[in-house]
Amino acid sequence: MSTQGLQLAERKLHHSPGQENKHADRRQQHLDRQEEGGELLFKLIRNDGREDHMQWLIDLKNLYSKQLPNMPKDYIVRLVFDRQHYSLVALKGGLNGRLIAGITYRPFYTQSLGEIAFCAVSAHEQVKGYGTRIMNKLKEHVMNDTEGGERLDHLITFADNNAVGYFSKQGFQKEIVLDKEKWSGYIKEYDGGTLMECVLGESGRPALPSNSEMKEQKSEVEQIVQSLSKDKQLFNGLEVFRSLPEGEYARVDPKDIPGVKELGFIPNDPPFKILHSSAGDGTPTTENMHGFMREMVRIVSQHQDAWPFREPVDSNEVPDYYDVIKDPVDLSLISRRIESQRYYANLHMFAADFARMFNNARVYNGPDTIYYKAANR
Ligand code: ACO
């Protein structure tokens, strides 16, 4: 893909949420107008004795009781009026209008955690975007609200099983990133609910994309790749990594990647040639380089001063050797590294092992010793 193509892809990823979310966009624009006209208001309140706040908390308690029929009513009352819980409420029709939505949460600043206890929208206002709007308002609020320098950048909730879809659309995930010791024992756990977390980034938007955002992004990228692709033929991906144990790597020649040759890829001329009969045609392929390395080890091993370097230093004979030399190298180790086929990615690494082997001898032994002199010869 060209740079221009990538920029286009990037722009589209950030600005075009895809067909599926056109409705959601329109809903949110409608709510923007309601907010601008003062018809829709959001208030953050708690049980602080103010008359208007108490009235809204009573309305909120009634809303939760209706919308969350499985929650015991006295439990709802206890949390809504608990002074450690805050509630964000949405009012339609101005300050004297109806309470149509609310979220009740408890901040734990030292844990960077906000626990959402309840969230509901009144029945006749559901699926009109108010649930999304109030959650966005809550995220905005918590990102700007600090106590003792701490901010709540993790929102956690036990989502009612039939509200999991709504929470995922708000950027909540079932995989919990926050350390368990930071939330376990702090938040209330419910049977029949699903623990979900939203990690907030700097801007108050979820730091991790939601599953639906990931799907949208994937399909955007696929469409852009398709539109820029000259060749519509699909190739199988690389299989080589599947069979490797974790942490193991394998080199892949670009020309062996399915489809690359078909696109007209012409490998560059090799940067150098190995001028030795042990290196095949001299091209620095893995096979030729290893042939050359094997031959070098064979020649060096036959040198009359090679004997101290053929095997590792015996720690029974030289007890403090491995206290002084932290990166020991000997010819048998170099041979094993060649035979593993994976260690020496280039000739520099091979030469570096020889340099270290001789240098170790000079570091451990004094200049008058046979070992020091052998290393120099
Ligand atoms: N399941 C799956 N998806 C849902 C649900 C749901 N229950 N509710 C809404 N959605 C989807 C909408 O279809 C919409 O999708 P789209 O953007 O792709 O079109 C998206 O979520 C956002 O919808 P909104 O209109 O913003 O959400 P709404 O205003 O309906 O509020 C809420 C959602 C709060 C779940 C509301 O439906 C409700 O009050 N339900 C009953 C009470 C409830 O279940 N509350 C949550 C309990 S868990 C807890 O409180 C911790």
Side-chain angles (χ1 to χ4, degrees):
M1 194 186 296
S2 66
T3 322
Q4 205 188 357
L6 276 173
Q7 281 165 356
L8 173 71
E10 223 169 58
R11 269 206 307 277
K12 288 197 89 178
L13 286 179
H14 286 113
H15 298 296
S16 165
Q19 198 64 31
E20 183 193 331
N21 263 2
K22 292 252 166 66
H23 288 305
D25 274 357
R26 272 203 290 273
R27 279 195 310 247
Q28 291 305 317
Q29 283 159 10
H30 179 61
L31 300 194
D32 285 344
R33 287 194 291 277
Q34 288 188 3
E35 252 195 285
E36 281 157 18
E39 203 204 333
L40 178 64
L41 288 179
F42 292 89
K43 291 279 173 194
L44 184 77
I45 55 173
R46 74 176 176 127
N47 179 359
D48 54 7
R50 267 182 59 168
E51 204 177 317
D52 52 349
H53 291 183
M54 299 312 276
Q55 183 55 55
W56 287 330
L57 287 180
I58 291 168
D59 293 347
L60 184 61
K61 178 261 304 176
N62 291 338
L63 170 66
Y64 289 151
S65 301
K66 261 202 199 127
Q67 292 304 319
L68 304 166
N70 295 332
M71 280 285 165
K73 289 195 174 32
D74 55 343
Y75 180 67
I76 294 178
V77 172
R78 186 144 54 83
L79 293 199
V80 168
F81 288 94
D82 172 64
R83 287 178 182 242
Q84 286 167 323
H85 283 74
Y86 290 78
S87 295
L88 182 65
V89 294
L91 305 167
K92 200 165 175 188
L95 275 178
N96 296 318
R98 283 175 298 123
L99 186 146
I100 57 157
I103 299 183
T104 296
Y105 77 102
R106 179 173 172 181
F108 293 97
Y109 291 99
T110 50
Q111 319 296 112
S112 314
L113 162 68
E115 177 201 8
I116 295 180
F118 309 122
C119 159
V121 172
S122 60
H124 54 285
E125 300 288 6
Q126 287 176 10
V127 201
K128 293 182 184 170
Y130 292 107
T132 301
R133 177 60 56 115
I134 196 166
M135 186 61 79
N136 287 343
K137 291 280 174 190
L138 176 71
K139 289 173 186 167
E140 243 172 72
H141 166 73
V142 297
M143 291 309 285
N144 293 313
D145 174 43
T146 54
E147 194 177 280
E150 300 293 340
R151 200 174 64 166
L152 313 179
D153 41 22
H154 296 259
L155 293 177
I156 289 193
T157 192
F158 258 94
D160 204 276
N161 282 341
N162 55 34
V164 166
Y166 159 76
F167 279 104
S168 345
K169 290 197 167 164
Q170 310 310 315
F172 285 69
Q173 316 244 4
K174 292 180 187 167
E175 296 78 33
I176 309 301
V177 176
L178 189 65
D179 287 344
K180 192 166 183 192
E181 71 229 30
K182 285 202 165 181
W183 58 264
S184 181
Y186 287 85
I187 69 169
K188 296 164 283 299
E189 306 200 14
Y190 303 101
D191 286 340
T194 302
L195 189 64
M196 297 185 85
E197 179 192 40
C198 178
V199 184
L200 297 171
E202 285 298 318
S203 59
R205 280 179 54 75
L208 306 172
S210 64
N211 290 343
S212 55
E213 278 173 331
M214 292 286 277
K215 268 193 212 140
E216 274 170 31
Q217 294 195 355
K218 186 166 175 254
S219 96
E220 288 285 357
V221 170
E222 279 169 1
Q223 277 175 28
I224 293 163
V225 168
Q226 283 295 319
S227 71
L228 295 169
S229 168
K230 292 186 205 119
D231 190 341
K232 304 285 181 227
Q233 190 183 347
L234 283 178
F235 292 87
N236 291 332
L238 286 169
E239 289 294 324
V240 57
F241 300 106
R242 283 188 201 281
S243 54
L244 289 177
E246 207 179 311
E248 294 272 336
Y249 304 97
R251 289 161 63 82
V252 176
D253 196 322
K255 71 175 172 2
D256 296 335
I257 300 173
V260 168
K261 238 186 339 196
E262 289 77 355
L263 269 178
F265 172 76
I266 302 164
N268 288 335
D269 283 341
F272 59 89
K273 283 209 162 205
I274 308 171
L275 298 177
H276 195 274
S277 56
S278 61
D281 65 0
T283 320
T285 58
T286 309
E287 195 186 333
N288 287 347
M289 282 198 299
H290 285 155
F292 175 71
M293 291 174 195
R294 261 182 225 111
E295 183 61 6
M296 289 304 108
V297 172
R298 194 186 67 75
I299 293 169
V300 172
S301 302
Q302 283 173 355
H303 191 277
Q304 58 177 359
D305 289 313
W307 57 271
F309 303 104
R310 284 196 192 110
E311 295 296 329
V313 171
D314 186 342
S315 59
N316 292 321
E317 290 170 20
V318 194
D320 67 344
Y321 183 80
Y322 293 98
D323 295 333
V324 179
I325 300 300
K326 295 295 178 203
D327 198 358
V329 185
D330 67 282
L331 290 168
S332 72
L333 177 66
I334 294 179
S335 289
R336 282 202 304 282
R337 285 179 171 173
I338 298 171
E339 296 322 322
S340 77
Q341 308 272 341
R342 291 200 177 125
Y343 188 83
Y344 295 120
N346 53 49
L347 292 173
H348 297 291
M349 290 172 71
F350 177 68
D353 264 2
F354 270 90
R356 185 168 300 114
M357 180 173 78
F358 297 131
N359 202 41
N360 285 346
R362 287 188 288 263
V363 167
Y364 185 81
N365 305 288
D368 294 334
T369 61
I370 43 172
Y371 305 105
Y372 191 103
K373 289 176 183 163
N376 277 357
R377 282 197 289 263

Tab-separated table of all heavy atoms in Angstrom, residues 74 252 308 361 363:
chain	number	residue	atom	x	y	z
A	74	ASP	N	-34.467	-2.092	48.599
A	74	ASP	CA	-33.760	-1.433	49.716
A	74	ASP	C	-32.262	-1.311	49.420
A	74	ASP	O	-31.604	-0.377	49.870
A	74	ASP	CB	-34.006	-2.167	51.046
A	74	ASP	CG	-33.637	-3.636	50.952
A	74	ASP	OD1	-33.512	-4.150	49.815
A	74	ASP	OD2	-33.447	-4.284	51.999
A	252	VAL	N	12.572	-15.461	7.242
A	252	VAL	CA	11.774	-15.694	6.043
A	252	VAL	C	12.340	-14.820	4.937
A	252	VAL	O	12.508	-13.612	5.128
A	252	VAL	CB	10.297	-15.306	6.282
A	252	VAL	CG1	9.497	-15.456	5.009
A	252	VAL	CG2	9.700	-16.127	7.404
A	308	PRO	N	43.277	-24.521	24.231
A	308	PRO	CA	42.548	-23.994	25.406
A	308	PRO	C	41.118	-23.578	25.056
A	308	PRO	O	40.320	-23.302	25.949
A	308	PRO	CB	43.351	-22.737	25.801
A	308	PRO	CG	44.617	-22.773	25.018
A	308	PRO	CD	44.332	-23.574	23.786
A	361	ALA	N	39.890	-14.791	27.360
A	361	ALA	CA	41.183	-15.369	27.767
A	361	ALA	C	42.131	-14.273	28.236
A	361	ALA	O	42.887	-14.450	29.201
A	361	ALA	CB	41.799	-16.151	26.599
A	363	VAL	N	41.175	-11.373	29.496
A	363	VAL	CA	40.658	-10.733	30.713
A	363	VAL	C	40.995	-11.596	31.937
A	363	VAL	O	41.469	-11.107	32.962
A	363	VAL	CB	39.117	-10.529	30.612
A	363	VAL	CG1	38.507	-10.177	31.970
A	363	VAL	CG2	38.802	-9.451	29.595
